[in-house]
């Protein structure tokens, strides 16, 4: 008989990637083995990331390279969710759209049938989409702001100001979005976490599970967002939020563990949060 592990309270998990499974290019020690152990215990897993810089297939391949049994449909990204949201909320994606973001984000938008404008035609945009990417430049900011000041509607893949990297936090989608919002004097509709859209997609993917927990490293994006979407939550301390941040947080996780390994191991004592 298997010894009980903290994860046994749940049969379905929505697993955040950045700060939970890896930080930048570095896998978090024990995370891949823990995910394998959860699958071996019969848990169902869906992976969910706000990182808009890469395609779903890229994250699936990374998980598989670490030895995690993941298939293409198991990964949900904010980029893909944003494309789907626009397809269903903006006239089937027929409105001319200007996007600040990675080629992966643009590929998702095009795949959803959205008409993407080249940089030179950005003023004609009726929709502007913002996702963080490494090649962000002032010209994109200017084009987006001018389109928005002419009445375009603003969407973003997320609002996380930073994302965890081995050498410390890097500016993310939220930092670029803040610049766009400040200059355009408007506020975006956000599709990624902590908003409910992706959590709802994850939940429908886990249909049939009795109890589902979001596992994440970010008190707002994962814990508060997951709670608002009606899910239970597990905070891991390998990424954005630290133990001392928890007491000040408005929303408390249902469980705090040092890392993903502690969720799947009987030998490590998990700590239940108070309050
Ligand atoms: Mg994270």
């Amino acid at each position: 008989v298997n010894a009980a592990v903290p994860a046994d309270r749940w049969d379905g998990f929505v697993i955040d990637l950045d700060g939970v499974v890896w930080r930048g290019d570095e896998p978090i020690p024990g995370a891949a083995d823990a995910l394998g152990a959860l699958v071996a215990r019969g848990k169902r897993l869906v992976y969910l990331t706000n990182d808009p810089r890469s395609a779903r297939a890229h994250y699936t391949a990374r998980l598989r390279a670490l030895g995690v049994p993941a298939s293409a449909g198991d990964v949900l990204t904010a980029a893909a969710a944003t494309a789907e949201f626009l397809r269903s909320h903006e006239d089937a994606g027929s409105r001319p759209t200007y996007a600040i973001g990675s080629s992966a984000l643009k590929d998702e938008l095009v795949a959803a049938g959205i008409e993407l404008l080249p940089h030179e035609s950005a003023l004609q945009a009726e929709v502007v989409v913002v996702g963080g990417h490494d090649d962000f430049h002032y010209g994109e900011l200017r084009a987006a702001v001018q389109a928005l000041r002419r009445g375009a509607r603003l969407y973003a893949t997320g609002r996380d100001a930073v994302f965890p990297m081995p050498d410390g936090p890097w500016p993310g989608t939220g930092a670029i979005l803040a610049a766009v919002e400040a200059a355009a004097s408007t506020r975006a509709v956000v599709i990624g976490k902590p908003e409910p859209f992706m959590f709802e997609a994850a939940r429908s993917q886990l249909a049939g599970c009795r109890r589902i927990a979001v596992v994440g490293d970010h008190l707002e994006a994962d814990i508060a967002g997951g709670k608002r979407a009606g899910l239970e939550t597990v905070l891991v301390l390998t990424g954005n939020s630290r133990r001392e941040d928890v007491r000040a947080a408005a929303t408390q996780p249902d469980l705090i563990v040092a890392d993903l390994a502690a969720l799947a191991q009987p030998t490590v004592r998990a700590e239940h949060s108070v309050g």
Side-chain angles (χ1 to χ4, degrees), residues 29-68:
D33 286 347
L35 293 169
L38 292 177
V39 171
R41 286 181 94 82
K43 313 295 184 190
R44 288 171 58 199
L45 311 182
V46 167
Y47 300 93
L48 196 146
T49 179
N50 264 10
D51 185 346
R53 294 172 303 163
S54 300
R56 282 171 283 180
H58 166 87
Y59 297 114
T60 308
R62 273 193 78 177
L63 286 166
R64 293 174 72 99
L66 293 173
V68 176

Side-chain angles (χ1 to χ4, degrees), residues 83-141:
E84 171 57 25
F85 189 92
L86 291 176
R87 200 184 58 71
S88 53
H89 289 78
E90 284 286 355
D91 265 6
S94 65
R95 298 187 188 281
T97 297
Y98 178 68
I100 294 176
S102 65
S103 55
L105 172 62
K106 290 173 182 172
D107 288 347
E108 292 282 9
L109 294 169
V110 169
I114 290 159
E115 185 204 338
L116 271 193
L117 294 170
H119 188 75
E120 314 78 65
S121 311
L123 282 183
Q124 295 154 31
E126 295 175 25
V127 170
V128 171
V129 179
V130 173
H133 70 131
D134 297 351
D135 299 319
F136 175 64
H137 62 85
Y138 181 81
E140 290 179 312
L141 174 61

Side-chain angles (χ1 to χ4, degrees), residues 3-217:
V5 301
D8 286 337
R9 287 160 66 179
W10 300 281
D11 57 349
F13 291 91
V14 179
I15 311 272
D16 176 36
L17 291 174
D18 236 334
V20 178
V21 181
W22 53 61
R23 264 186 310 263
D25 290 336
E26 292 181 6
I28 290 170
D33 286 347
L35 293 169
L38 292 177
V39 171
R41 286 181 94 82
K43 313 295 184 190
R44 288 171 58 199
L45 311 182
V46 167
Y47 300 93
L48 196 146
T49 179
N50 264 10
D51 185 346
R53 294 172 303 163
S54 300
R56 282 171 283 180
H58 166 87
Y59 297 114
T60 308
R62 273 193 78 177
L63 286 166
R64 293 174 72 99
L66 293 173
V68 176
S71 53
D74 296 343
V75 178
L76 306 177
T77 68
T82 300
E84 171 57 25
F85 189 92
L86 291 176
R87 200 184 58 71
S88 53
H89 289 78
E90 284 286 355
D91 265 6
S94 65
R95 298 187 188 281
T97 297
Y98 178 68
I100 294 176
S102 65
S103 55
L105 172 62
K106 290 173 182 172
D107 288 347
E108 292 282 9
L109 294 169
V110 169
I114 290 159
E115 185 204 338
L116 271 193
L117 294 170
H119 188 75
E120 314 78 65
S121 311
L123 282 183
Q124 295 154 31
E126 295 175 25
V127 170
V128 171
V129 179
V130 173
H133 70 131
D134 297 351
D135 299 319
F136 175 64
H137 62 85
Y138 181 81
E140 290 179 312
L141 174 61
R142 183 179 59 213
V145 165
Q146 290 190 334
L148 291 164
R149 289 208 171 249
R150 290 179 176 218
R153 283 182 297 286
L154 178 60
Y155 297 87
T157 58
R159 199 177 279 287
D160 303 350
V162 294
F163 57 89
M165 287 293 276
D167 62 347
W170 287 21
T173 298
I176 296 171
L177 180 61
V180 172
E181 289 181 332
S185 192
T186 188
R187 186 146 171 105
V189 172
V190 170
I191 313 303
K193 301 177 291 180
E195 302 305 322
F197 189 72
M198 282 176 80
F199 290 117
E200 283 160 11
R203 192 191 345 234
S204 58
Q205 195 133 333
L206 291 173
C209 287
R210 287 171 300 107
R211 288 182 75 176
I212 299 172
V214 175
V215 183
D217 67 308

